[in-house]
Amino acid sequence: MTEGARAGWIHRLMPYLGRYRRQVLLTFGAALAGLAVTALTPVIQKVVVDDVILSERRSLGLWLTLLVAAGVFRFGAAHVRRYVGGAVALGVQYDLRNDIYARLQRLDFARHDEFHTGQLVSRAISDVALVQGLLAFLPLFSGNVLLVVSSLVVMGVLSPLLTVVALLVVPVTTVVALRLRTTVFPAAWDAQQKAGEVAGVVEESVSGVRVVKGFGQEDRALAQLTDSAQDLYGSRMRAVRIQAWFGSTLQMVPTLGQVGVLALGGWLALRGRISIGTFLAFSSYLLQLVAPVRMLSTFTVVAQQARAGAERIFEVLDSNPAVVEREGAQPLPPVEGEIRFDGVTFGYLRSEPVLRDFTLTVAPSETVALVGPSGSGKSTVALLVPRFYEVTEGAVQIDGFDVRDVTLDSLRRQVGVVFEETFLFSDTVRANIAY
């Protein structure tokens, strides 16, 4: 993993969100407004009980209308949050996937050799989906943070003692949440790596189906996929075990606090220390707080999964081609066709050269065949002419121009290549020939 991918993954996502600044503001505004109204609803319930039902000092219809209006407002805010927030998340997913594909198109052969096809497919699909899931979840979670804070403030005004009892569960919840955060990420990263390996096995089996069937290796291909899928299953089960243990703990702790608050609140209400309306409002706040606290476990899991996906995505986006144009590279003029290899040394691994001090001159219109055993470097020689790879020593020249001194576009427009492996796009024969 590159340092750029590991550091500041949230900061790296900000430019993508910046493209949808207005929608983001609208989404978070709707989430905060809707949950702010939710936080005030128990106060209205308290007034209805204490000042209307018990004291008969105010009109019940007015307050019931206010409760209905609050419910309608919350519905509208939730609709805006879900619709606009979902559109933003899908937009960022769209942009990330396009950027990954654009980066892959600009990487050279050497960089593509470093990435397995299955890993690239996994990053462009499942990893991007993890980030999209976090962005869709984030407005709701941020609104729930406001709900917790505002509810605690109102609870503190209604009964400081009960609020202190309710807050006793916070340290335990914090410790469990931090522990969940540090254990989910490595499990999520490993699971995404295993998913990429499964995708690679499937891609190879499908692409090489003629070879598999030609040599009767269907059982072997199935066994290979089964082994990879079993590793993926084990990795994801590890993540599930972590989530089940810590997630259940996070959901249980608030319930214990709720029992303590209800017991003390009921005792205070029976002895007239607090009003029935206050006790009802406090009970409502407790019910409202349980869901956000439990959501903390879900958010922690989703965030760490998205972190694993984002770092794998940025690892691709941070990759740079080894073959780049030199500063001041000039277009290659129309060529006559002389090709010269001058003392060329090259290896896909620097420690294992395929060509050593290779020298060859091919005159214009001359046909030259390179003959040798498999792995002797025949194909490598052809791949060096359009500069798909960079030579380690020596030079490759066309009409006296070093291929490193001309622009890649002008070079490859004048070099035709017929690869050893035939590939057809999923299109018509005409379209493939035109390509």
Side-chain angles (χ1 to χ4, degrees):
M1 186 191 308
T2 64
E3 289 301 318
R6 185 182 294 276
W9 65 277
I10 297 178
H11 177 73
R12 296 285 302 275
L13 286 175
M14 288 299 105
Y16 289 93
L17 288 172
R19 302 174 188 177
Y20 306 91
R21 186 176 293 105
R22 291 183 179 179
Q23 295 93 321
V24 169
L25 292 176
L26 178 60
T27 300
F28 279 89
L32 296 177
L35 290 170
V37 172
T38 302
L40 294 175
T41 301
V43 176
I44 301 176
Q45 295 173 347
K46 174 187 179 301
V47 173
V48 169
V49 173
D50 288 342
D51 297 343
V52 177
I53 297 177
L54 297 181
S55 301
E56 299 181 357
R57 290 182 298 181
R58 299 185 184 182
S59 172
L60 179 61
L62 174 64
W63 294 98
L64 292 180
T65 302
L66 187 59
L67 283 175
V68 172
V72 173
F73 182 84
R74 287 162 54 189
F75 168 79
H79 177 76
V80 172
R81 172 182 58 78
R82 290 180 182 275
Y83 180 78
V84 180
V88 170
L90 290 174
V92 172
Q93 181 187 44
Y94 171 84
D95 294 337
L96 279 172
R97 186 174 289 122
N98 285 347
D99 284 355
I100 292 174
Y101 188 75
R103 173 60 61 179
L104 293 178
Q105 294 301 309
R106 287 166 175 75
L107 293 181
D108 53 27
F109 282 20
R111 287 291 181 262
H112 276 281
D113 292 342
E114 296 174 0
F115 288 106
H116 294 289
T117 303
Q119 291 290 351
L120 294 177
V121 171
S122 175
R123 296 178 195 216
I125 298 178
S126 61
D127 287 344
V128 171
L130 291 177
V131 175
Q132 182 262 334
L134 172 64
L135 296 179
F137 190 73
L138 194 57
L140 177 61
F141 181 76
S142 63
N144 275 276
V145 171
L146 174 64
L147 175 62
V148 170
V149 174
S150 57
S151 296
L152 288 175
V153 170
V154 178
M155 290 166 64
V157 173
L158 293 176
S159 175
L161 178 59
L162 289 178
T163 304
V164 171
V165 175
L167 290 176
L168 290 178
V169 300
V170 172
V172 179
T173 303
T174 303
V175 171
V176 176
L178 291 176
R179 180 61 178 168
L180 177 63
R181 176 180 177 273
T182 57
T183 54
V184 166
F185 172 70
W189 176 275
D190 184 66
Q192 290 304 106
Q193 289 289 104
K194 294 293 193 300
E197 293 173 6
V198 171
V201 173
V202 173
E203 188 274 334
E204 288 181 354
S205 297
V206 173
S207 301
V209 64
R210 288 181 173 83
V211 177
V212 173
K213 289 186 173 295
F215 290 93
Q217 294 297 309
E218 293 90 345
D219 292 339
R220 181 178 181 275
L222 179 60
Q224 186 177 10
L225 176 62
T226 301
D227 290 342
S228 297
Q230 189 171 15
D231 290 341
L232 174 60
Y233 173 80
S235 180
R236 286 188 169 167
M237 279 303 302
R238 173 193 171 201
V240 168
R241 283 194 297 270
I242 293 173
Q243 296 171 30
W245 174 256
F246 289 101
S248 300
T249 304
L250 274 178
Q251 293 187 17
M252 177 195 66
V253 172
T255 304
L256 296 178
Q258 186 180 20
V259 171
V261 170
L262 290 177
L264 178 59
W267 184 83
L268 292 175
L270 290 174
R271 282 158 178 76
R273 304 286 184 85
I274 59 175
S275 67
I276 298 298
T278 299
F279 178 68
L280 175 62
F282 221 93
S283 301
S284 298
Y285 278 120
L286 284 177
L287 292 175
Q288 287 184 357
L289 291 179
V290 169
V293 173
R294 289 180 175 177
M295 187 182 294
L296 177 63
S297 64
T298 303
F299 177 78
T300 303
V301 172
V302 171
Q304 294 309 305
Q305 289 175 339
R307 176 190 171 192
E311 291 187 355
R312 281 164 47 86
I313 290 169
F314 290 126
E315 187 176 10
V316 175
L317 295 180
D318 289 340
S319 298
N320 293 310
V323 177
V324 295
E325 291 184 358
R326 288 180 174 176
E327 185 176 355
Q330 299 296 317
L332 179 66
V335 299
E336 295 182 5
E338 182 189 72
I339 301 174
R340 177 176 176 79
F341 293 84
D342 186 10
V344 169
T345 297
F346 171 78
Y348 297 98
L349 297 176
R350 286 185 172 271
S351 59
E352 301 177 10
V354 177
L355 302 174
R356 295 182 180 85
D357 196 24
F358 176 75
T359 299
L360 172 68
T361 300
V362 181
S365 302
E366 183 180 9
T367 301
V368 174
L370 300 179
V371 181
S374 177
S376 61
K378 305 183 298 298
S379 300
T380 301
V381 171
L383 295 177
L384 294 178
V385 176
R387 203 184 168 200
F388 289 148
Y389 293 94
E390 198 81 283
V391 298
T392 306
E393 297 178 10
V396 179
Q397 300 176 345
I398 297 180
D399 288 352
F401 292 91
D402 192 319
V403 296
R404 292 170 293 191
D405 295 332
V406 299
T407 62
L408 292 173
D409 182 67
S410 64
L411 169 64
R412 293 173 183 173
R413 283 181 180 275
Q414 301 189 69
V415 177
V417 182
V418 178
F419 294 97
E420 294 176 284
E421 299 178 357
T422 302
F423 179 84
L424 294 176
F425 290 96
S426 299
D427 209 328
T428 63
V429 174
R430 176 186 177 87
N432 275 275
I433 294 174
Y435 195 94

